Short mmCIF file of all heavy atoms in Angstrom, two decimals:
data_model
loop_
_atom_site.label_atom_id
_atom_site.label_comp_id
_atom_site.label_asym_id
_atom_site.label_seq_id
_atom_site.Cartn_x
_atom_site.Cartn_y
_atom_site.Cartn_z
N MET A 18 0.84 -1.20 0.00
CA MET A 18 0.00 0.00 0.00
C MET A 18 0.87 1.26 0.00
O MET A 18 1.89 1.31 0.69
CB MET A 18 -0.88 -0.01 1.26
CG MET A 18 -2.13 0.81 1.11
SD MET A 18 -3.11 0.66 2.64
CE MET A 18 -4.73 1.01 1.99
N ARG A 19 0.46 2.23 -0.76
CA ARG A 19 1.23 3.48 -0.82
C ARG A 19 0.97 4.32 0.42
O ARG A 19 -0.09 4.29 1.00
CB ARG A 19 0.86 4.27 -2.06
CG ARG A 19 1.37 3.63 -3.34
CD ARG A 19 0.87 4.38 -4.54
NE ARG A 19 1.33 5.76 -4.51
CZ ARG A 19 0.68 6.78 -5.08
NH1 ARG A 19 -0.45 6.58 -5.69
NH2 ARG A 19 1.17 7.99 -5.05
N ARG A 20 1.97 5.08 0.78
CA ARG A 20 1.84 5.95 1.94
C ARG A 20 2.31 7.34 1.59
O ARG A 20 3.08 7.54 0.66
CB ARG A 20 2.71 5.43 3.09
CG ARG A 20 2.15 4.20 3.72
CD ARG A 20 3.18 3.52 4.57
NE ARG A 20 2.67 2.26 5.06
CZ ARG A 20 2.11 2.10 6.26
NH1 ARG A 20 2.01 3.11 7.08
NH2 ARG A 20 1.65 0.95 6.64
N LYS A 21 1.82 8.30 2.35
CA LYS A 21 2.23 9.68 2.14
C LYS A 21 2.72 10.26 3.45
O LYS A 21 2.21 9.94 4.51
CB LYS A 21 1.05 10.49 1.59
CG LYS A 21 1.48 11.80 0.99
CD LYS A 21 0.34 12.38 0.17
CE LYS A 21 0.68 13.77 -0.32
NZ LYS A 21 1.73 13.75 -1.35
N GLU A 22 3.70 11.13 3.34
CA GLU A 22 4.30 11.70 4.54
C GLU A 22 3.52 12.93 5.02
O GLU A 22 3.21 13.82 4.24
CB GLU A 22 5.74 12.09 4.22
CG GLU A 22 6.56 12.45 5.44
CD GLU A 22 7.96 12.91 5.05
OE1 GLU A 22 8.15 14.10 4.81
OE2 GLU A 22 8.86 12.05 4.98
N CYS A 23 3.29 12.99 6.31
CA CYS A 23 2.64 14.15 6.91
C CYS A 23 3.62 15.33 6.91
O CYS A 23 4.77 15.18 7.29
CB CYS A 23 2.23 13.80 8.34
SG CYS A 23 1.65 15.21 9.28
N GLU A 24 3.14 16.50 6.48
CA GLU A 24 3.98 17.71 6.40
C GLU A 24 4.52 18.14 7.77
O GLU A 24 5.54 18.79 7.86
CB GLU A 24 3.13 18.87 5.86
CG GLU A 24 2.84 18.80 4.39
CD GLU A 24 3.89 19.50 3.54
OE1 GLU A 24 4.46 20.51 4.01
OE2 GLU A 24 4.13 19.03 2.42
N LYS A 25 3.77 17.80 8.78
CA LYS A 25 4.09 18.32 10.11
C LYS A 25 4.94 17.36 10.94
O LYS A 25 6.01 17.74 11.39
CB LYS A 25 2.77 18.63 10.83
CG LYS A 25 2.88 19.64 11.94
CD LYS A 25 1.48 20.10 12.32
CE LYS A 25 1.36 20.40 13.81
NZ LYS A 25 2.15 21.57 14.20
N CYS A 26 4.48 16.14 11.12
CA CYS A 26 5.22 15.21 11.98
C CYS A 26 6.17 14.31 11.19
O CYS A 26 6.96 13.57 11.77
CB CYS A 26 4.26 14.38 12.82
SG CYS A 26 3.18 13.30 11.89
N LYS A 27 6.09 14.38 9.83
CA LYS A 27 7.00 13.64 8.95
C LYS A 27 6.90 12.13 9.06
O LYS A 27 7.82 11.41 8.70
CB LYS A 27 8.47 14.07 9.16
CG LYS A 27 8.71 15.57 9.04
CD LYS A 27 8.43 16.08 7.64
CE LYS A 27 8.74 17.56 7.52
NZ LYS A 27 8.27 18.10 6.23
N LYS A 28 5.78 11.65 9.59
CA LYS A 28 5.57 10.20 9.62
C LYS A 28 4.70 9.83 8.43
O LYS A 28 4.02 10.69 7.86
CB LYS A 28 4.86 9.80 10.92
CG LYS A 28 5.73 9.93 12.13
CD LYS A 28 4.91 9.58 13.37
CE LYS A 28 5.61 10.04 14.64
NZ LYS A 28 4.67 10.17 15.76
N GLU A 29 4.72 8.56 8.07
CA GLU A 29 3.96 8.13 6.90
C GLU A 29 2.64 7.50 7.30
O GLU A 29 2.56 6.74 8.26
CB GLU A 29 4.78 7.13 6.10
CG GLU A 29 5.99 7.79 5.46
CD GLU A 29 6.68 6.88 4.47
OE1 GLU A 29 6.65 5.65 4.68
OE2 GLU A 29 7.25 7.39 3.50
N TYR A 30 1.62 7.84 6.52
CA TYR A 30 0.27 7.35 6.79
C TYR A 30 -0.40 6.95 5.49
O TYR A 30 -0.03 7.42 4.43
CB TYR A 30 -0.57 8.45 7.44
CG TYR A 30 -0.09 8.85 8.80
CD1 TYR A 30 0.89 9.84 8.94
CD2 TYR A 30 -0.58 8.24 9.94
CE1 TYR A 30 1.36 10.21 10.19
CE2 TYR A 30 -0.12 8.60 11.20
CZ TYR A 30 0.85 9.59 11.32
OH TYR A 30 1.30 9.95 12.54
N THR A 31 -1.43 6.12 5.61
CA THR A 31 -2.18 5.73 4.43
C THR A 31 -3.44 6.57 4.27
O THR A 31 -4.06 6.57 3.22
CB THR A 31 -2.58 4.24 4.50
OG1 THR A 31 -3.27 4.00 5.71
CG2 THR A 31 -1.35 3.36 4.43
N ILE A 32 -3.82 7.26 5.34
CA ILE A 32 -4.97 8.18 5.26
C ILE A 32 -4.52 9.58 5.64
O ILE A 32 -3.92 9.76 6.70
CB ILE A 32 -6.13 7.73 6.17
CG1 ILE A 32 -6.64 6.36 5.72
CG2 ILE A 32 -7.26 8.76 6.16
CD1 ILE A 32 -7.67 5.74 6.63
N MET A 33 -4.74 10.53 4.73
CA MET A 33 -4.27 11.88 4.97
C MET A 33 -5.42 12.87 4.85
O MET A 33 -6.39 12.64 4.14
CB MET A 33 -3.21 12.26 3.93
CG MET A 33 -2.00 11.36 3.89
SD MET A 33 -1.04 11.34 5.40
CE MET A 33 -0.34 12.99 5.36
N TYR A 34 -5.25 14.00 5.51
CA TYR A 34 -6.25 15.07 5.46
C TYR A 34 -5.65 16.25 4.72
O TYR A 34 -4.58 16.73 5.08
CB TYR A 34 -6.66 15.46 6.88
CG TYR A 34 -7.39 14.33 7.57
CD1 TYR A 34 -6.69 13.23 8.05
CD2 TYR A 34 -8.77 14.35 7.68
CE1 TYR A 34 -7.35 12.17 8.64
CE2 TYR A 34 -9.44 13.29 8.28
CZ TYR A 34 -8.73 12.20 8.75
OH TYR A 34 -9.39 11.15 9.32
N ARG A 35 -6.35 16.67 3.68
CA ARG A 35 -5.87 17.78 2.87
C ARG A 35 -6.39 19.07 3.50
O ARG A 35 -7.60 19.27 3.58
CB ARG A 35 -6.38 17.62 1.44
CG ARG A 35 -5.82 18.60 0.45
CD ARG A 35 -6.24 18.16 -0.94
NE ARG A 35 -5.79 19.13 -1.93
CZ ARG A 35 -6.60 19.99 -2.53
NH1 ARG A 35 -7.88 20.00 -2.26
NH2 ARG A 35 -6.12 20.84 -3.42
N VAL A 36 -5.49 19.91 3.96
CA VAL A 36 -5.90 21.12 4.67
C VAL A 36 -5.03 22.33 4.30
O VAL A 36 -3.90 22.20 3.84
CB VAL A 36 -5.84 20.93 6.21
CG1 VAL A 36 -6.74 19.81 6.68
CG2 VAL A 36 -4.41 20.70 6.68
N GLN A 37 -5.61 23.49 4.53
CA GLN A 37 -4.86 24.74 4.49
C GLN A 37 -4.86 25.24 5.92
O GLN A 37 -5.90 25.21 6.57
CB GLN A 37 -5.57 25.79 3.64
CG GLN A 37 -5.55 25.54 2.17
CD GLN A 37 -6.30 26.63 1.41
OE1 GLN A 37 -7.02 27.44 1.98
NE2 GLN A 37 -6.14 26.64 0.10
N TYR A 38 -3.74 25.69 6.43
CA TYR A 38 -3.78 26.21 7.80
C TYR A 38 -2.86 27.42 8.00
O TYR A 38 -2.62 27.84 9.11
CB TYR A 38 -3.47 25.11 8.82
CG TYR A 38 -2.06 24.58 8.81
CD1 TYR A 38 -1.13 25.04 9.74
CD2 TYR A 38 -1.67 23.61 7.90
CE1 TYR A 38 0.16 24.55 9.74
CE2 TYR A 38 -0.38 23.12 7.89
CZ TYR A 38 0.53 23.58 8.83
OH TYR A 38 1.81 23.10 8.82
N THR A 39 -2.33 27.93 6.90
CA THR A 39 -1.51 29.14 7.01
C THR A 39 -2.10 30.22 6.12
O THR A 39 -2.95 29.95 5.27
CB THR A 39 -0.06 28.88 6.53
OG1 THR A 39 -0.10 28.56 5.14
CG2 THR A 39 0.58 27.75 7.30
N SER A 40 -1.64 31.46 6.31
CA SER A 40 -2.14 32.57 5.50
C SER A 40 -1.68 32.47 4.05
O SER A 40 -2.20 33.15 3.18
CB SER A 40 -1.69 33.90 6.10
OG SER A 40 -0.30 33.87 6.32
N GLU A 41 -0.72 31.57 3.77
CA GLU A 41 -0.26 31.35 2.38
C GLU A 41 -1.30 30.65 1.52
O GLU A 41 -1.17 30.61 0.31
CB GLU A 41 0.99 30.45 2.37
CG GLU A 41 2.22 31.05 2.96
CD GLU A 41 3.30 29.99 3.10
OE1 GLU A 41 3.74 29.46 2.06
OE2 GLU A 41 3.68 29.68 4.23
N LYS A 42 -2.29 30.04 2.17
CA LYS A 42 -3.34 29.29 1.46
C LYS A 42 -2.78 28.14 0.63
O LYS A 42 -3.24 27.85 -0.46
CB LYS A 42 -4.16 30.21 0.53
CG LYS A 42 -4.69 31.46 1.19
CD LYS A 42 -6.01 31.19 1.89
CE LYS A 42 -6.62 32.46 2.45
NZ LYS A 42 -6.97 32.35 3.86
N LYS A 43 -1.77 27.52 1.17
CA LYS A 43 -1.16 26.38 0.49
C LYS A 43 -1.79 25.09 1.01
O LYS A 43 -1.98 24.92 2.20
CB LYS A 43 0.35 26.37 0.79
CG LYS A 43 1.13 25.43 -0.07
CD LYS A 43 2.61 25.45 0.30
CE LYS A 43 2.90 24.59 1.51
NZ LYS A 43 4.34 24.33 1.72
N TRP A 44 -2.14 24.20 0.07
CA TRP A 44 -2.71 22.92 0.48
C TRP A 44 -1.59 21.98 0.91
O TRP A 44 -0.62 21.81 0.18
CB TRP A 44 -3.48 22.28 -0.68
CG TRP A 44 -4.76 22.97 -0.97
CD1 TRP A 44 -5.00 23.78 -2.05
CD2 TRP A 44 -5.97 22.94 -0.21
NE1 TRP A 44 -6.31 24.24 -1.98
CE2 TRP A 44 -6.92 23.73 -0.88
CE3 TRP A 44 -6.35 22.29 0.98
CZ2 TRP A 44 -8.22 23.92 -0.40
CZ3 TRP A 44 -7.65 22.48 1.46
CH2 TRP A 44 -8.56 23.28 0.77
N VAL A 45 -1.76 21.38 2.06
CA VAL A 45 -0.79 20.39 2.53
C VAL A 45 -1.53 19.14 3.02
O VAL A 45 -2.72 19.20 3.30
CB VAL A 45 0.10 20.94 3.67
CG1 VAL A 45 0.94 22.12 3.21
CG2 VAL A 45 -0.74 21.32 4.89
N PHE A 46 -0.79 18.05 3.09
CA PHE A 46 -1.36 16.82 3.60
C PHE A 46 -0.88 16.58 5.02
O PHE A 46 0.33 16.56 5.28
CB PHE A 46 -0.97 15.64 2.71
CG PHE A 46 -1.65 15.66 1.39
CD1 PHE A 46 -1.02 16.17 0.26
CD2 PHE A 46 -2.95 15.18 1.27
CE1 PHE A 46 -1.67 16.20 -0.97
CE2 PHE A 46 -3.61 15.20 0.04
CZ PHE A 46 -2.96 15.71 -1.08
N LEU A 47 -1.84 16.40 5.92
CA LEU A 47 -1.51 16.14 7.31
C LEU A 47 -2.19 14.86 7.77
O LEU A 47 -3.23 14.48 7.24
CB LEU A 47 -1.99 17.29 8.20
CG LEU A 47 -1.38 18.68 7.97
CD1 LEU A 47 -2.00 19.67 8.94
CD2 LEU A 47 0.12 18.66 8.13
N CYS A 48 -1.63 14.25 8.81
CA CYS A 48 -2.29 13.10 9.41
C CYS A 48 -3.45 13.60 10.27
O CYS A 48 -3.60 14.81 10.49
CB CYS A 48 -1.31 12.28 10.23
SG CYS A 48 -0.67 13.13 11.69
N LYS A 49 -4.23 12.71 10.78
CA LYS A 49 -5.40 13.10 11.54
C LYS A 49 -5.03 13.92 12.79
O LYS A 49 -5.61 14.97 13.05
CB LYS A 49 -6.18 11.85 11.96
CG LYS A 49 -7.52 12.19 12.56
CD LYS A 49 -8.29 10.95 12.93
CE LYS A 49 -9.68 11.33 13.42
NZ LYS A 49 -10.47 10.15 13.77
N ASP A 50 -4.06 13.46 13.53
CA ASP A 50 -3.66 14.15 14.76
C ASP A 50 -3.19 15.57 14.47
O ASP A 50 -3.57 16.51 15.16
CB ASP A 50 -2.55 13.39 15.48
CG ASP A 50 -3.06 12.11 16.11
OD1 ASP A 50 -4.29 11.93 16.20
OD2 ASP A 50 -2.22 11.29 16.53
N CYS A 51 -2.34 15.72 13.46
CA CYS A 51 -1.82 17.05 13.12
C CYS A 51 -2.92 17.95 12.59
O CYS A 51 -2.93 19.14 12.87
CB CYS A 51 -0.69 16.93 12.11
SG CYS A 51 0.78 16.17 12.79
N SER A 52 -3.85 17.40 11.82
CA SER A 52 -4.92 18.24 11.28
C SER A 52 -5.81 18.77 12.40
O SER A 52 -6.26 19.90 12.36
CB SER A 52 -5.75 17.48 10.25
OG SER A 52 -6.58 16.53 10.86
N LEU A 53 -6.02 17.95 13.43
CA LEU A 53 -6.81 18.41 14.57
C LEU A 53 -6.05 19.46 15.37
O LEU A 53 -6.63 20.41 15.89
CB LEU A 53 -7.16 17.23 15.48
CG LEU A 53 -8.17 16.22 14.91
CD1 LEU A 53 -8.31 15.01 15.83
CD2 LEU A 53 -9.52 16.87 14.68
N GLU A 54 -4.75 19.30 15.42
CA GLU A 54 -3.93 20.24 16.17
C GLU A 54 -3.89 21.63 15.52
O GLU A 54 -4.03 22.64 16.20
CB GLU A 54 -2.51 19.68 16.29
CG GLU A 54 -1.75 20.26 17.45
CD GLU A 54 -0.31 19.75 17.48
OE1 GLU A 54 -0.12 18.52 17.45
OE2 GLU A 54 0.59 20.60 17.51
N VAL A 55 -3.72 21.67 14.19
CA VAL A 55 -3.64 22.97 13.51
C VAL A 55 -5.01 23.65 13.41
O VAL A 55 -5.09 24.85 13.18
CB VAL A 55 -3.02 22.86 12.09
CG1 VAL A 55 -1.62 22.31 12.17
CG2 VAL A 55 -3.88 22.04 11.16
N LYS A 56 -6.05 22.87 13.60
CA LYS A 56 -7.41 23.39 13.49
C LYS A 56 -7.78 24.34 14.64
O LYS A 56 -8.59 25.24 14.48
CB LYS A 56 -8.37 22.20 13.49
CG LYS A 56 -9.78 22.52 13.09
CD LYS A 56 -10.60 21.23 13.08
CE LYS A 56 -12.01 21.48 12.62
NZ LYS A 56 -12.76 20.21 12.52
N LYS A 57 -7.17 24.10 15.79
CA LYS A 57 -7.49 24.86 17.01
C LYS A 57 -7.30 26.36 16.84
O LYS A 57 -6.19 26.81 16.56
CB LYS A 57 -6.61 24.39 18.17
CG LYS A 57 -6.93 22.99 18.65
CD LYS A 57 -5.92 22.57 19.70
CE LYS A 57 -5.98 21.07 19.95
NZ LYS A 57 -4.81 20.59 20.70
N GLU A 58 -8.36 27.08 17.05
CA GLU A 58 -8.33 28.55 17.01
C GLU A 58 -7.56 29.09 15.81
O GLU A 58 -6.73 29.97 15.92
CB GLU A 58 -7.73 29.10 18.31
CG GLU A 58 -8.62 28.82 19.51
CD GLU A 58 -7.94 29.15 20.82
OE1 GLU A 58 -7.08 30.04 20.82
OE2 GLU A 58 -8.28 28.52 21.83
N ASN A 59 -7.82 28.49 14.65
CA ASN A 59 -7.11 28.87 13.44
C ASN A 59 -8.09 29.34 12.37
O ASN A 59 -8.83 28.55 11.79
CB ASN A 59 -6.30 27.66 12.94
CG ASN A 59 -5.40 28.02 11.79
OD1 ASN A 59 -5.52 29.09 11.18
ND2 ASN A 59 -4.51 27.12 11.47
N ASP A 60 -8.08 30.64 12.09
CA ASP A 60 -8.98 31.20 11.08
C ASP A 60 -8.59 30.80 9.66
O ASP A 60 -9.38 30.90 8.73
CB ASP A 60 -9.00 32.73 11.17
CG ASP A 60 -9.68 33.21 12.45
OD1 ASP A 60 -10.49 32.44 13.01
OD2 ASP A 60 -9.39 34.33 12.89
N ASN A 61 -7.35 30.37 9.49
CA ASN A 61 -6.87 29.97 8.17
C ASN A 61 -7.18 28.51 7.84
O ASN A 61 -6.93 28.06 6.74
CB ASN A 61 -5.35 30.17 8.07
CG ASN A 61 -4.98 31.63 8.13
OD1 ASN A 61 -5.56 32.47 7.43
ND2 ASN A 61 -4.01 31.96 8.96
N TYR A 62 -7.68 27.79 8.82
CA TYR A 62 -7.92 26.37 8.61
C TYR A 62 -9.03 26.13 7.59
O TYR A 62 -10.10 26.70 7.67
CB TYR A 62 -8.31 25.69 9.92
CG TYR A 62 -8.59 24.22 9.76
CD1 TYR A 62 -7.56 23.29 9.79
CD2 TYR A 62 -9.88 23.76 9.54
CE1 TYR A 62 -7.81 21.94 9.61
CE2 TYR A 62 -10.15 22.41 9.36
CZ TYR A 62 -9.11 21.51 9.40
OH TYR A 62 -9.38 20.19 9.21
N ARG A 63 -8.74 25.28 6.63
CA ARG A 63 -9.73 24.88 5.63
C ARG A 63 -9.51 23.41 5.30
O ARG A 63 -8.38 22.98 5.08
CB ARG A 63 -9.53 25.73 4.38
CG ARG A 63 -10.84 26.03 3.67
CD ARG A 63 -10.60 27.02 2.55
NE ARG A 63 -11.28 26.58 1.35
CZ ARG A 63 -10.92 26.92 0.11
NH1 ARG A 63 -9.88 27.70 -0.08
NH2 ARG A 63 -11.59 26.49 -0.92
N TYR A 64 -10.59 22.68 5.26
CA TYR A 64 -10.52 21.24 5.01
C TYR A 64 -10.82 20.93 3.55
O TYR A 64 -11.81 21.42 3.00
CB TYR A 64 -11.53 20.55 5.93
CG TYR A 64 -11.71 19.09 5.69
CD1 TYR A 64 -10.70 18.19 6.01
CD2 TYR A 64 -12.89 18.60 5.15
CE1 TYR A 64 -10.87 16.84 5.80
CE2 TYR A 64 -13.07 17.25 4.93
CZ TYR A 64 -12.06 16.37 5.27
OH TYR A 64 -12.23 15.04 5.05
N GLY A 65 -9.96 20.16 2.92
CA GLY A 65 -10.13 19.89 1.49
C GLY A 65 -10.38 18.44 1.15
O GLY A 65 -10.30 18.05 0.00
N GLY A 66 -10.67 17.62 2.15
CA GLY A 66 -11.00 16.25 1.86
C GLY A 66 -10.04 15.25 2.49
O GLY A 66 -8.93 15.59 2.88
N THR A 67 -10.50 14.02 2.57
CA THR A 67 -9.69 12.93 3.12
C THR A 67 -9.17 12.09 1.96
O THR A 67 -9.92 11.74 1.07
CB THR A 67 -10.52 12.07 4.07
OG1 THR A 67 -11.09 12.91 5.08
CG2 THR A 67 -9.67 11.00 4.73
N TRP A 68 -7.90 11.79 1.96
CA TRP A 68 -7.27 11.04 0.88
C TRP A 68 -6.76 9.72 1.40
O TRP A 68 -6.08 9.66 2.41
CB TRP A 68 -6.11 11.84 0.28
CG TRP A 68 -6.57 13.05 -0.49
CD1 TRP A 68 -7.43 14.03 -0.05
CD2 TRP A 68 -6.19 13.42 -1.82
NE1 TRP A 68 -7.61 14.96 -1.03
CE2 TRP A 68 -6.86 14.63 -2.11
CE3 TRP A 68 -5.35 12.83 -2.78
CZ2 TRP A 68 -6.70 15.25 -3.36
CZ3 TRP A 68 -5.20 13.47 -4.00
CH2 TRP A 68 -5.87 14.67 -4.28
N LYS A 69 -7.10 8.67 0.65
CA LYS A 69 -6.59 7.34 1.01
C LYS A 69 -5.56 6.91 -0.01
O LYS A 69 -5.76 7.07 -1.20
CB LYS A 69 -7.73 6.33 1.07
CG LYS A 69 -8.57 6.47 2.31
CD LYS A 69 -9.60 5.36 2.38
CE LYS A 69 -10.57 5.63 3.53
NZ LYS A 69 -11.64 4.63 3.56
N TYR A 70 -4.48 6.34 0.50
CA TYR A 70 -3.42 5.86 -0.40
C TYR A 70 -3.26 4.36 -0.33
O TYR A 70 -3.73 3.74 0.59
CB TYR A 70 -2.10 6.55 -0.02
CG TYR A 70 -2.15 8.01 -0.36
CD1 TYR A 70 -2.61 8.92 0.57
CD2 TYR A 70 -1.81 8.44 -1.63
CE1 TYR A 70 -2.69 10.28 0.25
CE2 TYR A 70 -1.91 9.78 -1.96
CZ TYR A 70 -2.34 10.70 -1.02
OH TYR A 70 -2.44 12.00 -1.35
ZN1 LIG B 17 1.25 14.36 11.37
#
């Protein structure tokens, strides 16, 4: 099975969350834990879907 690396914790996962969480509006792939973490009190947070690899 293919895996993708989380932008934040640099670990590999088979299920990723596509999110924006900076003012740059750049889409990044995060794992579930990291996506929940960046979501907290973040006006830049935007969810773009769940990706399975
Ligand atoms: Zn992560």
